[in-house]
Amino acid sequence: MKPAVPPAPPTGMGRNNQPVLPKPILPNPVPPAEPPIPVEQTTTPNKLTQVKPVKKKRSRRSVKPWAWSVFCLSALGLVGGLGITAFLWLTNLPPLPDCRRISPLSADMERLYCAREAAQSGEANQLIAGVKLVQGWSSTHPLYPEAQELLNQWSAQLLAIAQTTAEESGLDRAVEIANQIPENSTSYANAQAAIAQWQADWKQGEAIFAKAQEALKQQRWNEAAAQVPALGRLENNYWRRDKASELTQQVLTEKAARERLKQALVLATTDEPDQLGQAIALVQTVNPKTYAWPEAEAVLKEWSQLLLTAGMQRWQQGDLTAAIALVHHVPLNLEMEPEARNLVRFSRAHKLATQHLNPYEPSVKEILSLMEAVAALRQIEPTSALYPQAQAKIDDWQSQVNDLAQLQYAHWTASLGQRITYEVAIGQAQRITSDRPQRIRAQTLVAHWGQQIQRIEDQPYLLVARAQAERGTVSALQQAIAAAQQVPLGRALRQEADLAIAQWSRQIQVIEDKPLLDKAQTLAQQGKLSEAIAAATEIQEGRALYEQAQTAIATWKAEIREAQIAQDRRILDEAASLAASTRLTLAIEKAAQIGAGRPLYGEAQAAIAQWEAERNAIWEAWENTPEADTSYSSESYSAEDDGYAE
């Protein structure tokens, strides 16, 4: 094994940042007999390190240069810190006063500061408090200049607030605020002038408004309405804008109230119970704040008493239904006998129980109305003669409340629109047995929800059918019809399926018959109307295009008829011209060219008959003439001899 070699010491840095080389390792180091002598180590390139002895000197330890820099910086920092601290201590303001703890015993400076802070809110009370604080300070007060400036500023703000108050809300508050402005304020004179102006405007506005009120009481509507523009001419916004608008609305309200009262008086003249009930209902719509209300209230009490009397008589006669109908419109706030009040309560409860009645869907309003009706009947005392009927109604309506609550829960469940929710809703509604008051509505809802389930089950058939029908071909439409026919008869969607089947069948007929109609129209455009009619006639009755084909056939027949009329008219005109020249035989032969079935056939036959009669008369006259040649007879008469008849 090789002898262990001690590791070389790491290379470091010596004094003055000079590199220190490691000492050479000698092969056999001998312990020094004397203390080591300090040496200077130098490095010479390409030479061995030389070790030279250094002479031992005794001298004082020198001071490092950077130590003086550190000392100077420390001293400068200490002096600067002391200076800054002293400056901050000298310039630091005393703490601000706590305005929450201010009192009359506090210093004027603190009170003025808090008043100024409070006045920044712009509220009248804070401004008034600030004014009261400084208005009594004399000119010798140290804070007088600042206080006087604030006093004028706050007074101007108070005057502005008072002006706004006078324009919007009222005179009293505006005058109260303006009177808080002291005499030593620059705004005092303006405030007093403003108060005088406000009071004058207010007095004028009150006079105009009072005149309008008197006119309204006397029902002089035009005079009352004339005060609106008078208010609009005032300077004050409160009267010009707010009160003018209020008076306009009041005139309309008063006129409406009087009109309703007149209508009610007309209805009540018949003394019929139904008419009285309508009159009471109309009077109750009169605004109680109108001048018409005292008169309306008087007739309301009178008519209500008449209905109460009639209702009590019917009730005593055993006709509770008629009694309830009579007192239906009687208000409960009128003075009446206890039993009459119970009858009115019974009538009101009956109205509540039926006002939101829905024969189909239950509603929360209906449940609440029934509960309110039950609460109204519970106010009828056991000593009342109506108590047994009230208890019977309470039991009935309470049962309806229970059933409606069950149906309402089922309705909410069904509203989710899923098959399972419909089934759950049906199960809940079927719990209402046939002896319950809401059984009919429950059965109706069960049937409806059953149809909804059928819709969910059969809807896929229609979806498939419509998807196939979108292609528009005959085969696709036939497939769509076959798919829609899978909806069974009697199901909820069967009617919708039948409508779709009819539509698709019509589309098939259109596709099949359209070529025939197109062919007929093409022939008609070519002038071949008879052939066009024959082609269109092939479209059979009951087909989709049958009506369209018949319309076209009628048009073409009319065109043929017009052409025949024009052609035959020329023939008739020629025949008539021949007949006019007594060539009757030729005229008859010409008119005979118009065959049967043509439009002018009847007219031609009538002309022929007339001309034949004329010709026969000529022949007969000729035969009876003595000078006539007996050898010349009607048989030998020809068309060329027609002119000889003259």
Side-chain angles (χ1 to χ4, degrees):
M1 297 181 60
K2 296 181 180 180
V5 179
T11 303
M13 302 295 292
R15 183 178 300 174
N16 297 329
N17 294 329
Q18 296 294 327
V20 178
L21 298 177
K23 296 180 180 181
I25 301 175
L26 300 177
N28 292 317
V30 179
E34 296 180 357
I37 300 172
V39 296
E40 290 184 358
Q41 298 179 357
T42 59
T43 303
T44 303
N46 300 326
K47 292 184 179 181
L48 295 175
T49 303
Q50 297 180 357
V51 180
K52 296 182 179 181
V54 179
K55 294 182 180 181
K56 190 175 183 180
K57 296 182 181 181
R58 184 177 296 176
S59 62
R60 184 178 299 176
R61 188 174 182 181
S62 62
V63 180
K64 300 177 180 179
W66 54 270
W68 287 105
S69 300
V70 173
F71 176 76
C72 292
L73 290 175
S74 300
L76 182 61
L78 179 61
V79 173
L82 291 175
I84 293 173
T85 303
F87 176 77
L88 293 176
W89 182 79
L90 290 174
T91 58
N92 189 23
L93 296 176
L96 297 175
D98 188 357
C99 294
R100 294 175 297 179
R101 299 181 180 180
I102 205 71
S103 67
L105 300 178
S106 302
D108 289 344
M109 175 64 77
E110 295 180 352
R111 295 169 62 195
L112 183 60
Y113 170 79
C114 292
R116 181 169 53 189
E117 291 295 319
Q120 291 181 0
S121 65
E123 297 180 359
N125 294 334
Q126 300 294 343
L127 294 172
I128 293 172
V131 168
K132 289 183 178 180
L133 173 64
V134 300
Q135 67 179 356
W137 290 2
S138 64
S139 59
T140 59
H141 195 286
L143 299 175
Y144 179 78
E146 182 180 357
Q148 192 65 23
E149 182 181 355
L150 290 174
L151 175 66
N152 294 330
Q153 177 183 346
W154 295 338
S155 298
Q157 293 180 4
L158 283 176
L159 182 57
I161 293 175
Q163 182 69 37
T164 303
T165 304
E167 295 284 346
E168 295 181 355
S169 57
L171 176 65
D172 295 338
R173 178 58 179 167
V175 172
E176 179 183 357
I177 295 174
N179 281 330
Q180 300 299 323
I181 299 175
E183 296 181 1
N184 59 343
S185 170
T186 56
S187 300
Y188 178 75
N190 294 333
Q192 295 303 312
I195 290 174
Q197 183 64 39
W198 298 338
Q199 290 175 343
D201 290 345
W202 206 271
K203 185 177 181 180
Q204 186 178 3
E206 287 179 339
I208 296 174
F209 201 78
K211 184 178 180 180
Q213 298 303 309
E214 186 63 28
L216 289 175
K217 292 178 182 179
Q218 302 298 326
Q219 303 181 38
R220 299 194 299 268
W221 312 121
N222 293 334
E223 181 180 348
Q227 307 310 312
V228 175
L231 290 175
R233 288 190 291 268
L234 297 179
E235 295 294 334
N236 190 281
N237 285 337
Y238 175 75
W239 294 101
R240 185 178 70 251
R241 182 186 60 198
D242 299 342
K243 298 300 287 185
S245 177
E246 178 184 338
L247 180 58
T248 301
Q249 185 61 40
Q250 186 181 9
V251 171
L252 297 176
T253 304
E254 291 288 344
K255 290 180 67 176
R258 290 292 180 180
E259 185 64 28
R260 292 177 183 178
L261 182 57
K262 289 180 181 179
Q263 294 176 5
L265 291 172
V266 172
L267 288 172
T269 53
T270 60
D271 292 333
E272 293 292 332
D274 293 339
Q275 300 289 337
L276 281 177
Q278 296 178 20
I280 290 175
L282 190 58
V283 168
Q284 286 180 310
T285 62
V286 175
N287 191 338
K289 296 181 180 180
T290 59
Y291 294 118
W293 175 247
E295 183 179 351
E297 187 178 17
V299 296
L300 177 63
K301 293 179 180 179
E302 178 184 353
W303 298 339
S304 298
Q305 189 60 46
L306 291 175
L307 286 182
L308 279 174
T309 302
M312 293 296 292
Q313 291 176 355
R314 291 292 183 90
W315 175 42
Q316 292 171 359
Q317 294 172 1
D319 193 352
L320 181 59
T321 303
I324 290 174
L326 284 172
V327 301
H328 176 68
H329 294 288
V330 176
L332 273 172
N333 56 355
L334 297 179
E335 295 182 2
M336 61 187 76
E337 296 295 330
E339 201 66 4
R341 185 175 298 276
N342 289 332
L343 181 60
V344 174
R345 284 174 179 164
F346 201 104
S347 176
R348 288 300 178 88
H350 188 271
K351 178 182 178 181
L352 287 170
T354 57
Q355 65 179 354
H356 293 296
L357 184 61
N358 186 343
Y360 178 56
E361 292 184 358
S363 65
V364 177
K365 288 184 178 180
E366 185 177 358
I367 297 174
L368 295 177
S369 295
L370 283 170
M371 295 175 65
E372 190 176 353
V374 169
L377 289 186
R378 292 189 188 279
Q379 298 179 9
I380 298 178
E381 302 83 0
T383 57
S384 173
L386 282 172
Y387 184 76
Q389 292 91 337
Q391 291 301 310
K393 285 293 184 181
I394 287 174
D395 295 339
D396 180 26
W397 293 343
Q398 189 61 50
S399 299
Q400 293 191 37
V401 168
N402 298 334
D403 291 351
L404 285 174
Q406 182 71 23
L407 288 178
Q408 184 64 47
Y409 180 70
H411 178 68
W412 286 339
T413 304
S415 63
L416 298 177
Q418 304 297 322
R419 175 173 179 171
I420 187 172
T421 58
Y422 285 126
E423 292 176 348
V424 172
I426 289 174
Q428 293 169 348
Q430 287 177 341
R431 296 177 184 176
I432 299 177
T433 57
S434 58
D435 58 339
R436 301 291 295 176
Q438 293 294 329
R439 62 188 182 278
I440 297 178
R441 186 182 299 189
Q443 294 171 359
T444 303
L445 290 173
V446 167
H448 172 68
W449 294 333
Q451 290 181 350
Q452 294 299 106
I453 293 176
Q454 293 178 5
R455 291 177 179 274
I456 294 175
E457 293 175 346
D458 297 339
Q459 190 66 34
Y461 296 128
L462 286 181
L463 293 177
V464 171
R466 289 193 175 96
Q468 292 174 343
E470 287 180 355
R471 291 183 289 173
T473 62
V474 174
S475 59
L477 292 171
Q478 291 174 346
Q479 293 175 4
I481 292 173
Q485 287 175 342
Q486 295 183 22
V487 178
L489 294 174
R491 304 277 286 185
L493 288 180
R494 180 62 191 193
Q495 183 177 3
E496 184 177 350
D498 290 340
L499 292 175
I501 290 171
Q503 178 184 355
W504 297 331
S505 299
R506 179 179 177 85
Q507 291 181 6
I508 292 175
Q509 294 174 5
V510 169
I511 294 173
E512 293 175 345
D513 296 343
K514 192 67 166 57
L516 293 175
L517 187 59
D518 292 342
K519 178 183 177 181
Q521 291 174 345
T522 301
L523 292 171
Q525 293 174 358
Q526 296 173 356
K528 303 176 181 179
L529 298 179
S530 299
E531 297 179 9
I533 292 173
T537 308
E538 298 181 12
I539 299 176
Q540 300 177 358
E541 185 177 0
R543 305 280 289 180
L545 295 180
Y546 177 76
E547 295 296 333
Q548 186 176 353
Q550 291 300 311
T551 301
I553 289 172
T555 302
W556 299 331
K557 285 183 177 180
E559 293 178 3
I560 293 174
R561 177 181 177 85
E562 292 176 359
Q564 291 178 350
I565 290 175
Q567 181 181 2
D568 294 345
R569 178 60 63 188
R570 289 193 298 271
I571 296 174
L572 276 179
D573 292 342
E574 293 177 4
S577 178
L578 291 172
S581 60
T582 64
R583 304 176 71 181
L584 298 176
T585 302
L586 291 178
I588 292 171
E589 292 176 353
K590 192 68 175 179
Q593 295 177 6
I594 300 175
R598 295 177 71 86
L600 297 183
Y601 176 75
E603 184 178 350
Q605 292 299 312
I608 290 172
Q610 178 183 353
W611 296 334
E612 287 179 346
E614 293 177 359
R615 189 180 62 178
N616 293 334
I618 292 172
W619 285 348
E620 184 178 355
W622 177 260
E623 291 176 353
N624 294 331
T625 301
E627 296 85 2
D629 187 359
T630 56
S631 62
Y632 189 82
S633 62
S634 60
E635 287 78 3
S636 61
Y637 183 79
S638 63
E640 289 78 3
D641 299 327
D642 285 345
Y644 189 76
E646 298 177 355

